[in-house]
Amino acid sequence: MTAHRKSLFYSQIKRALLFLCLILLVISGLSIGSDWQKRKVALQKQILSSLHSVEYFASEAVVFSDVTAAENVLKGLMFHRGYYETKLENAEGKVLASTYRPLAEVSTRWISDALFRGLPKTFSMDLIVDDYSVGRLVVHVDTAELVSGFVQRNIRGSLVAFCSSLLLGGMIFLLVYFQLSRPLFRLTNQLSVLDEAEVEPEQFQFKEAAREDELGILAQTITALWHKRRKVEVELEKSEAYFKAVVQQSSESMLLTDLKGRILDTNDQASRLLGYDTDTLLTLNIQDIDPKQTPDLLKQWSESSTEEASTYEADYFRKDGENFPVEVCGNIITLDQEECFLASFRDITRRRKNEEKVKFLAYYDTLTSLPNRRFLNQNLDTVISNARKDGHIGGLMFLDLDCFKNINDSMGHHVGDALLEEVAKRIVSSLTEPEIAVRIGGDEFVLLLPVLGQSHEEAQHKVSQLAETLLFKLSQIFRLDETDVFISASIGISLFPDENENDTHILRQADTAMYDAKVKGRNQYCFYRQEMQQEVTEKLALEKALHEAISKNEFYLVYQPQVNTDGQLIGFETLLRWFNDELGQVPPSRFIPVAEETGVIGEVGDWVLDRACQQLKIWQEQGLPPLFESIAINISPYQFAKESFVDTVSSTIKKYQIDASLLDLEITEGMLVENMSSVTEKMRQLKALNIRFSIDDFGTGYSSLRYIQHFPITQLKIDQSFVRDLTGSSSNNSSIINTIVSMASHMQLSVLAEGVESLEEKVLLDQTGCSRYQGYYFSVPLKEDAVSQCLGADIRFPLTSS
């Protein structure tokens, strides 16, 4: 009852009773009005009933487009009182038939129009056949004519209506209660029960939803809204569960904080990475993890937020106090109308290590861990600039190990690598801050010495001490892989700054000085001098001209006679000469080493062999003296080591159709001890062609009886250094020559002395038993035309005594 008293209906009843007296005064008006309302419904039903009575015939007329039938239907309707216009249309809206009559004169028309404004004046009915609309029946009603009798009757009965107003009012109140108030009460009661329920039902339906009136529509709308709300809530729950699962299962660590830094939410990955349990982490502040992420900074984030995430790197702290690098993707988001900071982060410790490793590989040598050439190139200019600005002297030392290749070849690259590591350690141990050792490749090291002194004298003294220390340390024994290894080094030194010097010039100067140290015998140091650059420049010009010498036909051959003890011609030694338009006459002692160093000697040697054989063919056709044995051609080690050397010699002999026994190939002693099996095989193949072999400069190299007996040697050539000392006070050279001659005699080898420049030397050689000679005493090297004259006449050497 309490709930009813609070209801809207109960309050309305109380108000109605207060005004009942007033209502009774107008009871008759209400009675008439009530009666009129009923009459309206009756009239509508009557009209609709009349329409339904002709529905079938009207549908038939429309379906078959029967105008006559349609007109009959409409004429029948016109018999009904109150219809003044009818119309029958098909589905397309086309009028099939229509009727009309003028409005009747009714005295109470103005009362009818005022009281029955709500009664429709036009009624239409859709004509349905087999669930399809085939047309429409429309009638226009004269309401004044229809209700004229009713108005007259109600005027007479107004007094009766006044008396029955109280009864009618009660009935209306009951009707409202049962049709509206009570259903509304049940509706609100169900809503209150639903609101107080702890668990909402999966399905919910109001009883009033079955009604077709406004209350039913209201109940249906509330039901639909409730289900829609429920659906949205379910979707939100699913979405929340999904995103929570995504956050928890994500490989990214996530933190959500307010703008004061208080942590609001996190995921398990963040807890694991930071070393906290989730509950503890939610009690912390972002500054406990990232001290730099202050509230002021978060506020700046909020003020400058563009709703786009920003990525940056930071250092986070774990629970144990250890810090580690992270990559953070941070953004300001809005939750419940409050701005929050969302950070997803990942541990980039491995990436940092990889970046450091890449940087190390880019700027440091992996074998020795010393800085590399790139490091030197990026820092040398700065060091030189600082020296120039501060007014002090710095230096660069270029250190190259001597004969390091021999260690690699004989002991293996693993021993060579171990040696380089130990060398690097000894170099570094000799340096002080801020001196730097750099390995620029192979066995080459560069020492960058930023500050040596305030003057050149002080700098030279200090760098000389360092160079001597390095040479001493590197000359000490290296114990590697249970093997004792000895090594030395050559050092080039360049001081800076000088005018217009840069890193390239300084490095090149030190490199040039280092090569000068090697030329002077290795295991020493040299300072760069200006003339060294001139020498290097001349050498480069020589190399360039040497590469073009054959194509420009700048080489030519001369031939130095070889004679017996009576001065009779027994052969020639072929000698190479070179004349260049820019360099002039270049001596062999100058260009032969360069040709060997650059590898051009192979091409030059092949040219000499081809040209000498070509000339020998000419002389062979002209006729050679009876005692003539051969022409000697010097073969370089590089040329002899080529796999194709035997084929080259063989094809040249066939090309010019010469007598192979007239060729004497002169080789050095050093060639005999390098790869003996290969050298022996090549010499054996060439010996099978009747080619002769002579050992040039015998006695100055590695020759011994053990070596000589393995090779098909024809002749030994005594080096001119022994011949020149024959006239001196020492008898050692005479003894050496006697030994060589005696050895050759027992081995059935001929002996030829080189560099005989005087009669006295010739006489002394005769006394040792040597009977073959070559030198300026007998003849200078001759050109081809002069040689042809000598071959065509019976002459003796020296020519001046003939």
Side-chain angles (χ1 to χ4, degrees), residues 202-327:
E202 292 295 328
Q203 295 294 329
F204 181 78
Q205 182 71 37
F206 291 103
K207 296 179 180 179
E208 285 73 17
R211 297 175 56 155
E212 296 181 357
D213 54 12
E214 291 84 350
L215 191 60
I217 294 174
L218 178 61
Q220 293 171 10
T221 302
I222 293 175
T223 302
L225 288 174
W226 185 89
H227 284 296
K228 186 175 182 180
R229 179 191 68 85
R230 180 59 183 165
K231 183 178 180 181
V232 171
E233 288 179 349
V234 171
E235 292 298 325
L236 285 175
E237 290 174 358
K238 289 182 180 179
S239 179
E240 183 180 358
Y242 171 76
F243 283 107
K244 192 171 185 63
V246 169
V247 169
Q248 292 297 336
Q249 297 177 17
S250 173
S251 60
E252 297 283 332
S253 302
M254 294 186 179
L255 289 176
L256 180 67
T257 75
D258 58 22
L259 294 187
K260 293 181 179 180
R262 185 168 57 88
I263 298 176
L264 304 176
D265 197 7
T266 183
N267 65 350
D268 293 341
Q269 180 65 19
S271 300
R272 287 192 294 268
L273 185 59
L274 296 172
Y276 295 94
D277 59 81
T278 302
D279 294 336
T280 303
L281 192 56
L282 292 176
T283 65
L284 300 180
N285 196 288
I286 187 67
Q287 287 82 39
D288 298 323
I289 298 167
D290 181 9
K292 295 182 179 180
Q293 197 67 272
T294 62
D296 290 339
L297 183 58
L298 291 175
K299 185 177 180 181
Q300 292 177 13
W301 269 76
S302 174
E303 292 173 351
S304 61
S305 176
T306 59
E307 299 185 356
E308 293 183 1
S310 298
T311 302
Y312 62 94
E313 292 185 4
D315 289 328
Y316 276 13
F317 284 85
R318 291 190 174 94
K319 181 179 180 180
D320 57 8
E322 177 191 1
N323 69 318
F324 62 101
V326 293
E327 181 183 71

Side-chain angles (χ1 to χ4, degrees), residues 720-732:
Q720 57 183 346
S721 61
F722 298 121
V723 175
R724 289 172 185 164
D725 292 338
L726 278 176
T727 56
S729 58
S730 176
S731 61
N732 289 337

Side-chain angles (χ1 to χ4, degrees), residues 285-384:
N285 196 288
I286 187 67
Q287 287 82 39
D288 298 323
I289 298 167
D290 181 9
K292 295 182 179 180
Q293 197 67 272
T294 62
D296 290 339
L297 183 58
L298 291 175
K299 185 177 180 181
Q300 292 177 13
W301 269 76
S302 174
E303 292 173 351
S304 61
S305 176
T306 59
E307 299 185 356
E308 293 183 1
S310 298
T311 302
Y312 62 94
E313 292 185 4
D315 289 328
Y316 276 13
F317 284 85
R318 291 190 174 94
K319 181 179 180 180
D320 57 8
E322 177 191 1
N323 69 318
F324 62 101
V326 293
E327 181 183 71
V328 185
C329 181
N331 195 14
I332 297 295
I333 62 174
T334 302
L335 296 177
D336 294 333
Q337 298 182 347
E338 181 180 353
E339 289 187 332
C340 299
F341 174 67
L342 176 63
S344 63
F345 58 95
R346 66 177 68 180
D347 186 350
I348 58 171
T349 302
R350 178 173 296 180
R351 191 179 81 184
R352 282 273 183 90
K353 290 181 178 179
N354 290 337
E355 290 173 351
E356 292 173 358
K357 184 177 180 181
V358 170
K359 183 178 180 181
F360 179 83
L361 293 175
Y363 292 99
Y364 289 85
D365 173 54
T366 55
L367 178 64
T368 63
S369 297
L370 295 179
N372 60 15
R373 181 185 292 272
R374 180 178 293 177
F375 179 93
L376 179 65
N377 291 339
Q378 290 195 359
N379 290 274
L380 184 53
D381 255 346
T382 302
V383 172
I384 295 173

Side-chain angles (χ1 to χ4, degrees), residues 49 252 283 285 288 299 302 324 338 425 448 483 508 521 544 578-579 598 636 711 755 791:
S49 176
E252 297 283 332
T283 65
N285 196 288
D288 298 323
K299 185 177 180 181
S302 174
F324 62 101
E338 181 180 353
K425 292 178 182 178
L448 180 58
T483 303
R508 186 169 64 240
K544 181 177 182 299
W578 178 28
F579 180 82
T598 58
S636 72
F711 303 105
L791 293 175

Side-chain angles (χ1 to χ4, degrees), residues 49-166:
S49 176
S50 66
L51 293 179
H52 282 295
S53 65
V54 298
E55 180 181 4
Y56 174 80
F57 301 99
S59 299
E60 288 269 335
V62 172
V63 169
F64 295 101
S65 300
D66 190 345
V67 176
T68 303
E71 291 176 347
N72 292 333
V73 170
L74 296 182
K75 288 178 181 179
L77 285 175
M78 291 299 288
F79 285 105
H80 289 273
R81 181 168 170 263
Y83 292 176
Y84 69 93
E85 185 179 4
T86 60
K87 182 170 57 177
L88 185 61
E89 299 174 348
N90 60 16
E92 289 76 20
K94 182 179 179 181
V95 177
L96 194 63
S98 64
T99 59
Y100 176 79
R101 69 178 178 187
L103 294 176
E105 294 183 1
V106 178
S107 60
T108 58
R109 180 177 296 277
W110 64 275
I111 299 177
S112 300
D113 291 338
L115 295 177
F116 289 90
R117 285 195 300 268
L119 182 66
K121 297 181 180 300
T122 301
F123 290 81
S124 66
M125 181 180 67
D126 290 330
L127 303 176
I128 307 299
V129 176
D130 296 331
D131 296 330
Y132 289 95
S133 175
V134 298
R136 188 174 62 166
L137 177 61
V138 181
V139 296
H140 296 274
V141 180
D142 183 1
T143 56
E145 183 178 358
L146 283 176
V147 300
S148 60
F150 175 78
V151 171
Q152 294 174 2
R153 286 193 305 272
N154 277 278
I155 290 175
R156 290 191 298 268
S158 59
L159 292 176
V160 177
F162 179 79
C163 296
S164 62
S165 60
L166 290 176

